[in-house]
């Protein structure tokens, strides 16, 4: 079997276009220009790339893009003050502080400083609580992207066996919550799971969110299953060059799976499109408008 490739770039382009159209309506009909503020501390090269693509995409979907760069040695107080200014600014609807942060800054404090209505990354504990109790709110971008990609293959996820590898607060746990809301039967595997290959073989859908290059092997996958690869790992490509690979051994898994996301070009572009959707959603929530009918 050769798996169908789930083209995240193409699906993200469709979602971004729908967001751009909805933003135009909100701006024309309600005079609200959704705005996303991105804060970068320091000059981590990977963070620079992420931030650049987020700010470019914000402008591409007709939203206001604000960018704040703070020096790597910035004291925690100054970052918190910057966040507070953005909390108070009515023209800013979403605030994103690019992680990781330098060691003098407590990431937890920073995440909790963003008011939940502007928490477009969906990392605030209140946002997590809303999600886990099934109440309306912002849904973290990467887990939302994973669900949308899986639904492109399966339509409904109800009754499917879903295996999530990874239990982080930003990917694994919220993804498991979303899968429950979709009525999937969910197994969360992690670093202490016994016989991970056997657990994975149960999955009609396997989501890999570990951060270990090509860990998931072909014989871990039930023939015909869907594989969604969240991992982003930089590895050597020889001759001093590097390349990005996922958590899934793509070539061998694609021989067994029914559908698979590539890395790059799978979850990554969809995550950014979901960030745009969340910013639009946040702008609507902050102005008493119904949530946009996009990406459902
Ligand atoms: P994390 O380090 O916070 O969590 C990793 C999880 O994997 C942990 O819960 C741990 O229990 C589990 N794990 C570690 N070793 C394991 C093993 N040997 N077997 C089974 N489970 C194991 O990472 P994260 O923030 O959740 O990110 C995971 C990956 O997803 C990373 O590669 C990250 O770069 C990537 N990521 C991609 C996007 C995107 O937009 N595509 C967004 C967020 C994260």
């Amino acid at each position: 079997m050769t798996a169908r490739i789930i083209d995240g770039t193409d699906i993200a382009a469709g979602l971004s276009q729908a967001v751009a159209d909805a933003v135009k309506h909100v701006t024309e009909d309600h005079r609200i220009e959704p705005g996303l503020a991105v804060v970068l501390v320091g000059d981590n090269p990977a963070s620079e790339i992420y931030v650049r693509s987020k700010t470019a995409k914000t402008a591409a979907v007709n939203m206001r893009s604000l960018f704040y760069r703070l020096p790597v040695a910035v004291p925690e107080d100054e970052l918190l003050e910057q966040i507070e200014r953005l909390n108070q600014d009515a023209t800013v609807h979403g605030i994103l502080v690019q992680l990781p942060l330098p060691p003098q800054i407590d990431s937890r404090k920073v995440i909790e400083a963003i008011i939940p209505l502007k928490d477009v990354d969906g990392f605030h504990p209140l946002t997590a609580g809303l999600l886990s109790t099934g109440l309306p709110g912002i849904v973290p971008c990467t887990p939302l992207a994973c669900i949308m990609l899986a639904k492109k293959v399966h339509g409904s996820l109800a009754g499917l066996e879903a295996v999530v590898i990874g239990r982080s607060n930003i990917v694994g746990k919220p993804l498991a919550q979303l899968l429950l809301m979709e009525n999937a039967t969910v197994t969360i595997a992690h670093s202490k799971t016994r016989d991970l290959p056997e657990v994975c073989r149960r999955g009609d859908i396997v989501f890999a969110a570990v951060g270990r290059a090509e860990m998931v092997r072909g014989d871990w996958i039930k023939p015909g299953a869907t594989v969604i690869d969240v991992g982003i790992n930089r590895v050597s490509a020889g001759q001093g060059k590097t390349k990005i690979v996922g958590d899934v051994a793509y070539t061998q898994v694609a021989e067994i799976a029914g559908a698979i996301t590539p890395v790059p070009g799978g979850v990554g572009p969809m995550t950014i499109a979901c960030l745009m959707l969340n910013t639009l959603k946040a702008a609507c929530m902050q102005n008493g408008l119904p949530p946009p009918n996009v990406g459902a």
Side-chain angles (χ1 to χ4, degrees):
M1 174 181 290
T2 304
R4 161 185 163 191
I5 296 169
I6 308 167
D7 186 343
T9 305
D10 187 53
I11 299 167
L15 176 58
S16 297
Q17 186 56 56
V19 171
D21 294 345
V23 168
K24 210 157 164 264
H25 284 300
V26 166
T27 306
E28 285 173 3
D29 299 349
H30 302 281
R31 297 183 182 281
I32 299 159
E33 191 186 1
L36 173 65
V38 175
V39 181
L40 175 65
V41 180
D43 50 10
N44 175 314
S47 295
E48 294 263 1
I49 294 170
Y50 295 141
V51 161
R52 220 175 299 139
S53 58
K54 286 169 188 171
T55 50
K57 183 56 85 178
T58 308
V61 298
N62 309 321
M63 297 199 293
R64 228 173 123 235
S65 171
L66 297 103
F67 174 58
Y68 300 86
R69 181 193 290 277
L70 300 177
V72 69
V74 69
E76 186 180 86
D77 285 359
E78 277 182 35
L79 175 57
L80 294 175
E81 280 162 23
Q82 177 63 65
I83 292 169
E84 190 47 30
R85 280 193 290 276
L86 296 171
N87 280 339
Q88 300 298 333
D89 184 341
T91 68
V92 170
H93 303 96
I95 304 169
L96 182 150
V97 179
Q98 185 65 44
L99 302 178
L101 291 166
Q104 78 277 14
I105 294 172
D106 180 348
S107 300
R108 196 177 56 85
K109 268 195 203 168
V110 170
I111 288 169
E112 291 180 12
I114 299 170
I115 55 168
L117 273 175
K118 299 190 180 187
D119 172 33
V120 285
D121 251 341
F123 295 166
H124 194 286
L126 188 86
T127 312
L130 292 173
L131 181 66
S132 68
T133 48
L135 291 170
I138 295 287
V139 174
C141 306
T142 301
L144 179 58
C146 291
I147 294 290
M148 285 183 177
L149 292 171
K151 283 175 119 180
K152 285 282 173 196
V153 179
H154 293 273
S156 167
L157 308 183
L160 295 180
E161 291 281 345
V163 175
V164 178
I165 320 173
R167 57 178 163 182
S168 72
N169 287 336
I170 64 171
V171 188
K173 276 189 218 159
L175 175 55
Q177 297 288 358
L178 286 175
L179 286 162
L180 282 177
M181 285 166 73
E182 296 289 339
N183 296 313
T185 301
V186 186
T187 303
I188 308 176
H190 48 77
S191 53
K192 300 285 187 282
T193 295
R194 266 183 287 155
D195 202 352
L196 184 57
E198 189 53 38
V199 170
C200 287
R201 278 190 288 269
R202 282 189 220 150
D204 299 310
I205 315 182
V206 175
F207 299 87
V210 184
R212 285 180 177 246
E214 301 179 325
M215 184 185 84
V216 176
R217 314 305 294 175
D219 63 355
W220 296 21
I221 299 299
K222 179 163 78 175
T226 297
V227 178
I228 308 285
D229 190 351
V230 183
I232 302 177
N233 308 288
R234 188 171 287 280
V235 297
S236 165
Q239 297 178 330
K241 293 194 175 133
T242 60
K243 61 175 179 176
I244 301 288
V245 299
D247 289 344
V248 173
Y250 182 82
T251 308
Q252 51 175 270
V253 170
E255 291 297 311
I256 309 293
I260 187 167
T261 57
V263 177
V267 175
M270 267 307 272
T271 293
I272 295 184
C274 287
L275 174 65
M276 301 304 122
L277 175 59
N278 278 354
T279 305
L280 170 62
K281 205 172 159 186
C284 291
M285 288 193 308
Q286 286 160 46
N287 287 282
L289 299 176
N293 190 19
V294 173

